[in-house]
Every structure is written in structure tokens, then in C-alpha cells.
Amino acid sequence: MNYLTNAEKRTYGAIVIGSGMAGGWAAKEFCEKGIKTLVLERGRKVTHNEDYPTTLMSPWEFPHRGRLTDEEIKENPIISKCYAFKEDAKHFFVKDKEHPYEQDKPFDWIRGYQVGGKSLLWARQTQRWSQLDFDGPARDGFATPWPITYKELDPWYSHVEKFAGISGNKDGLDALPDGEFLPPHELTCVEKHFQKEIKRLYNDRHVIIGRCAHLTQPQEIHYQQGRAQCLGRNLCQRGCPYGGYFSANASTLPWAAKTGNMTLRPDSVVHSIIYDEKKQKAVGVRVVDAHTKEMVEYYAKVIFVTAAALNTNLILLNSTSHRFPNGLGNDSGLLGTHIAFHNYRASISAEYEGYLDFKTEGGRPNSGYIPRFRNLYKQETNFLRGYAAGMNAGRSSSTDREGLGESLKNSLLNPKMNQMWYAGSHMMGETIPKESNKVTLDKLKKDENGMPILHVNVAYDDNDDKMVQDFIDQFTEMYTKAGFTNIHHRDTKQAPGLDIHEMGGVRMGADAKTSLLNKWNQMHQVKNVFVTDGACMTSTSTQNPSLTYMAFTARAVDYAVKEMKKGNL
């Protein structure tokens, strides 16, 4: 077999790096449009339903009843902080020693290396951005202006919402545009009380049911995917055997596979993108086999980098050439800078005495949501941007476990309802992208795959501290006025990263001097390379970001395929 024939076998129309939220959508869209597509995933193969080993296990079937051992916590001081890293889902997370990085400042990097990535583990909350969110940087001058408007993204939000299946209510709010919704979940009676009181007390604040990627009423398109209604098991982090929530494994990747146009290659660590100096474009990628450590090259007309924000930055920084000595497309010198995230530090807890003839039963994979209300239309506080918040209220029961024999059995069978409802909120604050918040590559240290070790230099600032205090002040006032008692606040001071919403480093913008990508998520200097995961974000706003990544990806693939057909790529 000659080299040319071998190279041809490793040539595709498109290469997608990463198989998670954005990568799954890139694969689906390319394959549907008839493009032979190679999907590269650095982690192991995980197939929907076949590789969810704990999904149907009962609590007593776990050796440690769902908990981590002291040894596991000691060995994993970073990942063990994550809410979902428990006995039933720990196999979907990267352990601390498996892919080391340097924390120049404290940063908790939470990763899921497998086919489907973190789409198996996400919180499934899906809010659209509004034009107010896109206007933020241009209005206050922090971060370069967005090159795209809400009107341009609106049809792509609809496109992904219909396929993914989003539950929600049409609330008619400027700050949170309505979408293509399946029937909403219901607020509890105390959540409805809070909703009513906030509406009575404030003109600018709203309590709504969250919008989430759960099939409350599956449509034909979801049945075609092989998915079924969400049963409210609240065991989502194990992988859903019914496809009740959206994941790449249950939805986009199988859809792409059945076209016959997708080649999926797990255990493939992308080393760098190959830039051809003569052709002045990228021609392929270098891949290290995770097991053999052999390096192989694959080729394509178009490359989508969707490896999750920090790994996308790592790959592009490592993609050096004579033309781009500091990383692919990095003429501006801004690659890896302006990393931002969401501020989840603060929370409020409270109690409510009332509605004692009601209780909560069953599961609901959702909660209430309070959209951003600070600095929406104009600057009005001592900090920039704002925060959204979750809102949850329930009533729990307790049992007397002190007895023996029949008395113990009777106590366990007849739990007593607590006399108070609990309630609480957690903040989701926007952080300001700063050039000093950045990632860089170690010049000497490499990991087991020959990749440079990533240095993460990201920290909070005074704006974040002021925002935390405002959240505490405002929500203490709101709960107090709504009749709640025993109100407590907490600032965890948790390190950036534990929010698992890192963004930036390869930001979009109209000016190549201040950004890396144009309005189509296309690199200014390398037209056949696109970035559509969190790395592309110019600012973070307050919404959970995955829905926006999906919409950006579908839109960018549509543009790329049209440009390919015109011969421009």
C-alpha cells in the first residue's frame, strides 16, 4: 500500500475535535448535509445505554451506598469537590492524576473524557441569551463587542431546541427570550408563593420555572432518535437509559452515525492542527493514540475545534508553525487570554412556615429560576453586569432511627413531615473577561501524550466580590419581604472552575486585532478552522451556556458547508 492511498484513507470532508455538547452537534449537522466527517475524542468509547453501568442500580447495590471513600477523596482533592462526582458517576470524570495541569492560581478544572464528554453530566439548564446580553461588552467597554446579534442566533436556537427537547414556559421576558418549549415542570406551592410575592413587591424581578433539556412530552423527532419521556428519576449523572434528557450519546451522535457519514475515533488525543504554509490554511490534525502513543495524521477541508474551552485553547496554542509561532491564528497575541467563568460562590437558605397541608413527593429534574435583573438596561450598581439565580423550595421528612425491632420498623414506615418548608437560591454571576485571566503552555513539562502541561492563571476580582455582596443583600431582602425566616447566606470562596462554565481564550469579534474568530466562529487568519465551544465566548452573561454553544455550532456548520460548496474552503 503506497503512502498516497494510505493518506487518502485518512482524509475526510470535515474533522470535529471533541464529541461533547458542541462536537455532537457539529457531527450531526455535517453528516446530515452529506459531509464525510471524522469525530475525534480523546477519551474512551461510551455508547448510549450500553455503557451506563450504574444507571439501573439500587442504593443497596453500591458498596459504599453512593459515597466516595476517604482514600478516593484524598487522591482527588479537586474533582471530589464536584457535586456529581459520587460512586454512581465517578467513572465519567477525569481523576486528578489522569491529566495534570498547573494552577498558577487556584482553579478546579472539572473534565469528562469519553464519547459524549460532559453532556452526560451537565445540569441540563437551557436559557437563551437576549440582545441585552450581547450588548453588554459594547455598552460598558469591558471585552470586545460581540459580532453577532440575538436576531441572527434566534432561528438556530429554535433549530436546536426542537431537536434536543427543551421544557419551559413562555414567560415573555426581555431578559430571557422564550423558545420552542415542551410543557413546563411545575413549581411547588412555596415556590409559587415566592413567585407571587416577588411579582407583588418588585417590578423588575421574576420567578419562573427553569428551562431544561428534558422530554416532558416527547415529539416525533425525539421518538425518531430512540428517546422517551423523562421519568424524573433524578439520576441523570449515571446516563439516562431512556434518553429522557439531551446528551450527545443519546441524541446527536447516534443521529450522525445512522447517516453513514460519521467515523468516530475514541482514544484519540489531538496534539495539534497542521497548517500548510503554501496553501495558507489548515490541512489536518495530528493525533496521539491514547494507548499506543503512536502519532497519526488525519486530513480534511474543514476543522471544527470543540474540545471544551481549556483543551481547545491548549490545542490551538500547541499548533505552531513558521507562520504562527505562538499558536494557530494568533496574530493578535490574544489566544489563551480573557478566560472567564461563572461566579457560583454565594447562596441563601431560608425557611417558610405555612402550607403545612402540602408536601413534595416524586422527582423533578429542575427548579425555579430568577433571571438577571441587575444592570440590564443601564449601569445602576457599583459592579458591572449581573447575576441570575436558582430557586428551590421543598418539604422533607424525618424518621426516628433510635429504636429496635418492631418500633424501628414502624418509625421507618411512618416518617414525620418537618414543620417548616426549606427554600434557597444560588447565584450564577457573570465575570468580566480580562487579559490577565489566561492559560499558557509549559515550555518544559509534558504529559504522558507528549502534550505541554497547561498553566491556568485565573482569579476573581473586586467586581466579583461586589456582585457576591449584592446577591446576598438583595436575596436576603427578597426572602425577608416574602415572609421567610431563619435566613442564612454563605460565600464558599470556591475556586474558579467548579462552576464548570469556563469560557473564552478564542473569542469572537469583528476586529482581527482584538479577537480570534469572526461572526461565523471562523478563525480570522485560518478560514477553514472553526471554534464553537466555550472557548469562542466573548463574554459569559449569566445563562447556562450549553444551549448557546449548540446554536453557534449548528449555525457555523451551515455556513461552513455553504462555503465549501462555493469552493471558498
Side-chain angles (χ1 to χ4, degrees):
M1 183 180 298
N2 62 47
Y3 177 80
L4 181 61
T5 303
N6 192 20
E8 287 176 341
K9 286 187 175 183
R10 289 181 277 112
T11 299
Y12 299 83
I15 292 176
V16 177
I17 302 172
S19 64
M21 203 69 71
W25 268 96
K28 170 193 173 292
E29 297 294 311
F30 272 124
C31 292
E32 273 190 322
K33 297 176 188 300
I35 306 298
K36 295 294 184 181
T37 304
L38 173 66
V39 179
L40 297 169
E41 167 57 50
R42 69 175 294 149
R44 64 191 175 91
K45 185 178 181 181
V46 170
T47 301
H48 177 56
N49 254 346
E50 295 178 15
D51 298 309
Y52 304 158
T54 63
T55 188
L56 296 176
M57 287 175 62
S58 298
W60 56 85
E61 295 180 278
F62 291 94
H64 305 103
R65 300 298 186 263
R67 299 179 180 180
L68 299 175
T69 66
D70 289 343
E71 183 179 356
E72 287 174 320
I73 294 172
K74 184 177 180 180
E75 290 181 351
N76 296 282
I78 296 172
I79 192 64
S80 62
K81 298 176 189 176
C82 179
Y83 72 96
F85 185 72
K86 299 293 186 289
E87 191 173 23
D88 64 347
K90 62 185 180 181
H91 46 282
F92 288 142
F93 288 92
V94 175
K95 312 306 184 293
D96 288 3
K97 294 180 180 179
E98 290 176 351
H99 183 201
Y101 66 101
E102 295 287 342
Q103 302 177 60
D104 293 351
K105 295 176 182 176
F107 188 90
D108 296 331
W109 191 10
I110 310 300
R111 293 155 288 173
Y113 292 166
Q114 62 261 326
V115 170
K118 294 193 295 292
S119 76
L120 288 170
L121 300 163
W122 66 312
R124 307 164 307 282
Q125 299 301 297
T126 46
Q127 310 98 11
R128 291 187 178 201
W129 279 38
S130 73
Q131 186 57 44
L132 298 169
D133 299 302
F134 287 108
D135 286 343
R139 191 180 72 194
D140 60 36
F142 286 83
T144 193
W146 276 92
I148 187 174
T149 64
Y150 171 74
K151 185 177 181 180
E152 291 174 283
L153 201 57
D154 176 20
W156 296 102
Y157 273 135
S158 294
H159 177 72
V160 300
E161 286 167 340
K162 290 175 183 177
F163 190 83
I166 307 299
S167 164
N169 185 61
K170 291 189 179 293
D171 300 294
L173 304 177
D174 287 350
L176 206 69
D178 293 328
E180 309 289 340
F181 294 144
L182 302 174
H185 294 100
E186 186 176 2
L187 294 170
T188 67
C189 58
V190 172
E191 289 167 354
K192 289 178 181 178
H193 164 78
F194 191 64
Q195 180 187 52
K196 181 180 178 181
E197 287 299 291
I198 295 303
K199 184 176 182 180
R200 180 180 68 84
L201 293 163
Y202 301 91
N203 294 323
D204 62 340
R205 305 181 190 189
H206 307 273
V207 179
I208 66 173
I209 186 64
R211 299 165 181 183
C212 62
H214 285 263
L215 299 182
T216 53
Q217 189 178 91
Q219 303 299 298
E220 178 59 29
I221 187 63
H222 307 124
Y223 290 129
Q224 290 177 20
Q225 296 171 43
R227 298 168 62 198
Q229 184 167 336
C230 169
L231 301 183
R233 300 191 316 148
N234 292 351
L235 300 173
C236 311
Q237 71 277 3
R238 299 181 182 184
C240 181
Y242 316 108
Y245 73 84
F246 172 83
S247 69
N249 306 69
S251 182
T252 47
L253 291 175
W255 194 268
K258 71 180 182 180
T259 67
N261 292 322
M262 182 180 78
T263 299
L264 176 63
R265 194 182 193 279
D267 301 308
S268 301
V269 181
V270 173
H271 175 276
S272 54
I273 294 172
I274 305 166
Y275 182 79
D276 189 301
E277 308 274 351
K278 293 182 179 179
K279 295 181 179 179
Q280 296 186 351
K281 65 178 182 179
V283 293
V285 299
R286 300 179 186 91
V287 172
V288 177
D289 187 288
H291 300 295
T292 68
K293 309 306 176 185
E294 176 189 9
M295 185 176 286
V296 185
E297 295 183 353
Y298 294 91
Y299 309 98
K301 291 183 178 180
V302 173
I303 299 167
F304 267 56
V305 192
T306 60
L310 297 193
N311 270 320
T312 285
N313 276 275
L314 194 164
I315 291 168
L316 293 175
L317 285 166
N318 201 44
S319 300
T320 57
S321 61
H322 178 74
R323 170 67 181 84
F324 296 112
N326 299 313
L328 190 69
N330 192 23
D331 285 351
S332 65
L334 295 176
L335 180 61
T337 69
H338 296 89
I339 301 295
F341 52 98
H342 278 154
N343 184 349
Y344 273 50
R345 279 168 37 188
S347 61
I348 291 276
S349 64
E351 292 180 342
Y352 187 78
E353 186 174 5
Y355 296 99
L356 297 183
D357 50 342
F358 289 88
K359 60 182 179 179
T360 51
E361 294 287 348
R364 181 191 67 179
N366 201 1
S367 68
Y369 183 78
I370 301 167
R372 173 185 166 193
F373 55 86
R374 293 307 234 177
N375 302 323
L376 268 177
Y377 303 102
K378 62 181 180 180
Q379 183 63 37
E380 57 190 0
T381 69
N382 66 342
F383 60 89
L384 296 173
R385 314 290 171 85
Y387 50 81
M391 193 277 157
N392 186 58
R395 190 176 175 212
S396 58
S397 62
S398 60
T399 55
D400 181 0
R401 302 189 178 201
E402 295 301 318
L404 294 171
E406 186 174 355
S407 65
L408 174 61
K409 182 173 72 172
N410 289 333
S411 295
L412 295 175
L413 291 173
N414 297 282
K416 295 180 180 179
M417 294 302 300
N418 291 340
Q419 290 302 302
M420 302 285 276
W421 283 72
Y422 66 84
S425 291
H426 65 278
M427 75 175 292
M428 296 173 277
E430 178 170 3
T431 63
I432 304 301
K434 303 181 292 291
E435 191 165 359
S436 59
N437 276 356
K438 60 186 178 181
V439 293
T440 55
L441 303 186
D442 196 293
K443 296 180 179 179
L444 299 175
K445 296 179 183 177
K446 296 185 183 296
D447 65 18
E448 64 178 6
N449 297 303
M451 296 287 289
I453 296 292
L454 190 70
H455 283 252
V456 183
N457 192 333
V458 175
Y460 294 108
D461 61 16
D462 181 59
N463 195 71
D464 301 317
D465 294 336
K466 290 176 179 177
M467 189 182 294
V468 166
Q469 189 59 53
D470 190 78
F471 169 86
I472 291 170
D473 293 343
Q474 295 303 313
F475 273 74
T476 298
E477 175 188 290
M478 289 160 66
Y479 276 105
T480 301
K481 287 185 174 181
F484 289 76
T485 59
N486 197 22
I487 300 169
H488 296 280
H489 66 262
R490 183 185 182 209
D491 179 359
T492 65
K493 304 287 187 179
Q494 68 184 42
L498 199 55
D499 53 288
I500 325 180
H501 289 174
E502 57 268 16
M503 301 177 230
V506 199
R507 68 183 183 183
M508 298 171 68
D511 187 349
K513 294 180 181 179
T514 57
S515 63
L516 280 297
L517 309 171
N518 65 16
K519 67 184 295 181
W520 302 105
N521 296 80
Q522 178 184 34
M523 296 200 86
H524 289 300
Q525 309 298 346
V526 189
K527 298 297 186 183
N528 64 331
V529 175
F530 294 74
V531 177
T532 63
D533 62 11
C536 79
M537 301 296 278
T538 304
S539 61
T540 73
S541 193
T542 61
Q543 290 88 324
N544 297 66
S546 293
L547 182 69
T548 299
Y549 303 164
M550 294 188 240
F552 274 143
T553 302
R555 179 177 179 269
V557 171
D558 183 72
Y559 173 79
V561 171
K562 289 176 180 176
E563 289 295 289
M564 290 169 73
K565 291 180 178 179
K566 292 177 184 177
N568 294 335
L569 295 178

